[in-house]
Amino acid sequence: MLLLSCPSRTSLLARQLRRAFHDQRWPGWEVVIGIETHAQIKSRQKLFSHSLSSSLKDPPNTNVSPFDAAFPGTLPKLNQECVDLALRTAIALNSDVQTRSSFDRKHYFYPDLPAGYQITQHYAPIALSGKVYIPGRDSPVRIKQIQLEQDTAKSSFDPRTQTSNLDLNRAGTALLEIVTEPDLRSPEEAGAYVRALRAILRAIGASDGNMEAGSLRCDVNVSVNEVGKPRGTRCEVKNLNSMKFMQAAIICEARRHQELYLEGAAVPQETRGFNEDTFETFKLRSKEEAPDYRYMPDPNLGVLFITRERVGRTKKTMPELPWETRDRLVHIYGLSEQDADILLNLDAEREGHEGGAVVYFDRLCKETRDPRVTFNWMVHELLGRLHAAKLTFADNPLSSSQFGELVDLVQSGTITGTSGKLLLREMLADPSSSRTPTDRALNLLSASGGELDVNELCAAAIVALPAEASAFRNGHKNVINKILGWVMRESRGRAESKNARKYLISLLEKTP
Ligand SMILES: Nc1ncnc2c1ncn2[C@@H]1O[C@H](COP(=O)(O)OP(=O)(O)OP(=O)(O)O)[C@@H](O)[C@H]1O
Ligand SMILES: [Mg+2]
Ligand SMILES: [Mg+2]
């Protein structure tokens, strides 16, 4: 947010028109997208009961309280941990937290909904009108509202035995529904928005945002119009659980609407599904067939009051948000925006070593290493090696201090860049070895036999014997013999002692 300027409305509009007009896939058409995201809240217990939020590993029907199963006479009790996490989300998305919000019943009849209704926040959601900034766009994606609601149970059908199975583990788990205004204009922007939202939810601990595990699901609303003409009719594609499927569903809808308009037909407002095998959307129901949800306030839950003090207290506990991290990487460390995004995307994909790629990079740079050199070693060499072995950053076995020592050896000229790469390879092959990178570097040097580099050994001696080096610099000139002894030993007597002594002294006098 700190990075991005706010251009005037007219230049914004012109840019948006240009962007729409220049989409080579559908010149002259504008594709309009709004997204409803359901994120499972990372709370220990469900939204209104004491049973635990389940993971996919839990056996079916093991985390179910009488309330989740809608036993008569059971009552909901709002879990404040979920409210706190919703509050953190609202603050992170720059939204207006509502002092008063409330819960409503949304009725429909399906076996995965034991009570016959889902408790949601239809009339008065917990937060309104937020903003999410995404790379490549000056204007934010506007958030319409954020609401708390319950998840449904899971039903599955076994065609062999012709039976339906119900698993109530998920019933009543807390969800956040985050709804955008129709501000997105391409499948890529939609992807960038979901990635940015997921990074925020993860950074604040509100959700795992794991699409494969179902903890982040999206409904996309798509309409198409000719550039400069009024908006088309929107169709909603439900329940997309991967970025790839979401973007494919948008492309499919964009083309389908264009074809209908070109034939002179109208686009009927529909709710659609996505076929993961054919990559096509299909009709679930038309607007006329839409269920009447008969929304009504839940009489068992009162008003949810959130005081200004509570919002203020929560603000104080907010961590650095992804766009703030990006700003810091660019302005404090001097990385390019692209390089900053590489680190942020590593974190967005998966939690990495020592709490993530940015934390790892921060630790490396803390020791006054040059951030750009460090970035190159971390991303091009370390990550490059990991990728070559089909591993990700999360599998990185080297601690930041081990890896930092390697960077230092190269930076101080103790070993060449080529030897550094060899050393990295060796360290990754045997990460648990008790030998330090400096020890390994020396082995590497002596193993290279004839190519003995006395200068490299002298520099290594200074790194390996810091107390002696500083004693020499403080006037204890005799200590040079100890440092020289180290060089002679490591070179297995192959170094020429007079030259080595001269070079050592010049090095010690040159470097602080
Ligand atoms: N012309 C349009 N083209 C694309 N998206 C649109 C258009 N108009 C509205 N939208 C988007 O449709 C979504 C509507 O979601 P909302 O939750 O408000 O209602 P809903 O889909 O009718 O209800 P439900 O939550 O039951 O699905 C929003 O994300 C909004 O931005
Ligand atoms: Mg909705
Ligand atoms: Mg909807």
Side-chain angles (χ1 to χ4, degrees), residues 159-224:
R160 199 178 51 81
T161 54
Q162 291 286 300
T163 47
S164 283
N165 297 312
L166 268 182
D167 175 6
L168 294 184
N169 276 354
R170 205 179 65 180
T173 305
L175 294 180
L176 278 173
E177 180 171 338
I178 302 162
V179 185
T180 73
E181 294 289 353
D183 281 356
L184 298 152
R185 292 292 176 273
S186 69
E188 293 71 28
E189 268 193 5
Y193 161 74
V194 176
R195 272 192 293 274
L197 177 65
R198 187 176 59 179
I200 294 170
L201 294 173
R202 285 179 177 170
I204 60 174
S207 175
D208 284 338
N210 189 342
M211 290 186 101
E212 298 95 76
S215 57
L216 195 85
R217 313 190 287 269
C218 294
D219 302 341
V220 290
N221 296 267
V222 183
S223 71
V224 169

Side-chain angles (χ1 to χ4, degrees), residues 403-446:
F403 185 65
E405 199 172 329
L406 182 152
V407 176
D408 290 343
L409 285 168
V410 181
Q411 273 306 93
S412 64
T414 308
I415 56 172
T416 59
T418 319
S419 306
K421 288 175 199 172
L422 267 175
L423 175 58
L424 176 61
R425 203 181 283 201
E426 204 197 274
M427 284 164 70
L428 287 171
D430 180 17
S432 55
S433 161
S434 56
R435 286 179 306 154
T436 66
T438 310
D439 289 343
R440 286 168 181 264
L442 291 165
N443 274 356
L444 211 70
L445 290 174
S446 44

Side-chain angles (χ1 to χ4, degrees), residues 77-302:
K77 182 166 187 296
L78 181 59
N79 174 352
Q80 289 299 326
E81 190 192 354
C82 300
V83 178
D84 279 333
L85 291 171
L87 203 52
R88 284 167 84 73
T89 307
I91 294 167
L93 302 187
N94 297 289
S95 357
D96 297 332
V97 176
Q98 302 297 291
T99 316
R100 295 166 64 102
S101 65
S102 55
F103 293 91
D104 309 295
R105 293 180 176 182
K106 176 180 181 177
H107 296 83
Y108 62 93
F109 301 101
Y110 199 73
D112 69 8
L113 199 62
Y117 60 84
Q118 174 195 25
I119 304 178
T120 180
Q121 294 195 297
H122 182 68
Y123 294 114
I126 189 164
L128 295 170
S129 67
K131 296 185 199 101
V132 173
Y133 288 86
I134 60 174
R137 245 181 86 130
D138 293 331
S139 57
V141 178
R142 290 168 305 152
I143 299 295
K144 187 175 160 198
Q145 68 185 53
I146 302 171
Q147 65 203 49
L148 275 163
E149 61 187 33
Q150 296 174 298
D151 208 343
T152 57
K154 241 184 196 168
S155 65
S156 55
F157 182 70
D158 184 342
R160 199 178 51 81
T161 54
Q162 291 286 300
T163 47
S164 283
N165 297 312
L166 268 182
D167 175 6
L168 294 184
N169 276 354
R170 205 179 65 180
T173 305
L175 294 180
L176 278 173
E177 180 171 338
I178 302 162
V179 185
T180 73
E181 294 289 353
D183 281 356
L184 298 152
R185 292 292 176 273
S186 69
E188 293 71 28
E189 268 193 5
Y193 161 74
V194 176
R195 272 192 293 274
L197 177 65
R198 187 176 59 179
I200 294 170
L201 294 173
R202 285 179 177 170
I204 60 174
S207 175
D208 284 338
N210 189 342
M211 290 186 101
E212 298 95 76
S215 57
L216 195 85
R217 313 190 287 269
C218 294
D219 302 341
V220 290
N221 296 267
V222 183
S223 71
V224 169
N225 56 267
E226 284 179 54
V227 175
K229 296 275 170 62
R231 293 266 160 84
T233 310
R234 77 170 159 117
C235 285
E236 177 172 353
V237 188
K238 286 271 186 204
N239 238 341
L240 297 156
N241 60 4
S242 95
M243 214 69 88
K244 194 164 81 183
F245 295 156
M246 183 186 75
Q247 296 189 336
I250 294 171
I251 292 175
C252 177
E253 278 304 284
R255 295 210 188 285
R256 193 178 67 83
H257 292 208
Q258 285 161 32
E259 275 162 24
L260 281 170
Y261 288 134
L262 285 173
E263 284 165 11
V267 171
Q269 188 170 342
E270 284 170 352
T271 300
R272 299 177 70 86
F274 181 74
N275 182 327
E276 296 173 9
D277 298 319
T278 61
F279 267 50
E280 280 171 346
T281 64
F282 59 90
K283 179 177 162 182
L284 286 171
R285 55 183 177 264
S286 68
K287 196 185 172 202
E288 292 72 42
E289 293 152 359
D292 173 4
Y293 292 127
R294 296 183 296 119
Y295 284 104
M296 60 177 244
D298 191 306
N300 294 329
L301 287 156

Side-chain angles (χ1 to χ4, degrees), residues 270-497:
E270 284 170 352
T271 300
R272 299 177 70 86
F274 181 74
N275 182 327
E276 296 173 9
D277 298 319
T278 61
F279 267 50
E280 280 171 346
T281 64
F282 59 90
K283 179 177 162 182
L284 286 171
R285 55 183 177 264
S286 68
K287 196 185 172 202
E288 292 72 42
E289 293 152 359
D292 173 4
Y293 292 127
R294 296 183 296 119
Y295 284 104
M296 60 177 244
D298 191 306
N300 294 329
L301 287 156
V303 172
L304 168 59
F305 285 103
I306 295 181
T307 60
R308 294 287 131 214
E309 291 70 42
R310 184 167 177 186
V311 176
R313 270 200 314 275
T314 311
K315 274 188 181 158
K316 288 200 189 111
T317 67
M318 295 296 282
E320 185 177 61
L321 296 172
W323 65 77
E324 293 165 338
T325 310
R326 189 171 191 265
D327 192 52
R328 191 165 59 79
L329 292 172
V330 171
H331 289 110
I332 310 281
Y333 289 136
L335 296 189
S336 69
E337 293 191 3
Q338 273 165 329
D339 288 350
D341 285 338
I342 290 177
L343 288 182
L344 287 167
N345 286 340
L346 280 174
D347 273 355
E349 290 315 316
R350 197 187 296 205
E351 275 289 291
H353 196 269
E354 295 183 9
V358 174
V359 173
Y360 194 78
F361 183 70
D362 272 334
R363 293 206 176 132
L364 287 171
C365 291
K366 251 199 200 110
E367 326 248 347
T368 65
R369 290 184 188 102
D370 180 322
R372 269 185 281 196
V373 172
T374 307
F375 176 88
N376 280 338
W377 271 93
M378 179 176 155
V379 171
H380 299 138
E381 304 306 332
L382 175 59
L383 208 68
R385 282 263 122 231
L386 290 169
H387 281 177
K390 301 213 165 24
L391 299 172
T392 69
F393 186 70
D395 306 307
N396 172 26
L398 304 180
S399 71
S400 56
S401 68
Q402 280 175 310
F403 185 65
E405 199 172 329
L406 182 152
V407 176
D408 290 343
L409 285 168
V410 181
Q411 273 306 93
S412 64
T414 308
I415 56 172
T416 59
T418 319
S419 306
K421 288 175 199 172
L422 267 175
L423 175 58
L424 176 61
R425 203 181 283 201
E426 204 197 274
M427 284 164 70
L428 287 171
D430 180 17
S432 55
S433 161
S434 56
R435 286 179 306 154
T436 66
T438 310
D439 289 343
R440 286 168 181 264
L442 291 165
N443 274 356
L444 211 70
L445 290 174
S446 44
S448 60
E451 297 167 21
L452 175 73
D453 187 340
V454 179
N455 292 359
E456 279 200 354
L457 262 186
C458 289
I462 293 172
V463 175
L465 302 173
E468 283 76 1
S470 87
F472 177 87
R473 290 189 186 107
N474 290 331
H476 302 285
K477 300 294 176 196
N478 280 345
V479 182
I480 193 69
N481 293 326
K482 188 164 176 200
I483 306 176
L484 182 61
W486 192 94
V487 173
M488 297 310 290
R489 200 172 53 250
E490 291 300 336
S491 74
R492 300 205 194 105
R494 285 181 298 153
E496 207 276 294
S497 77

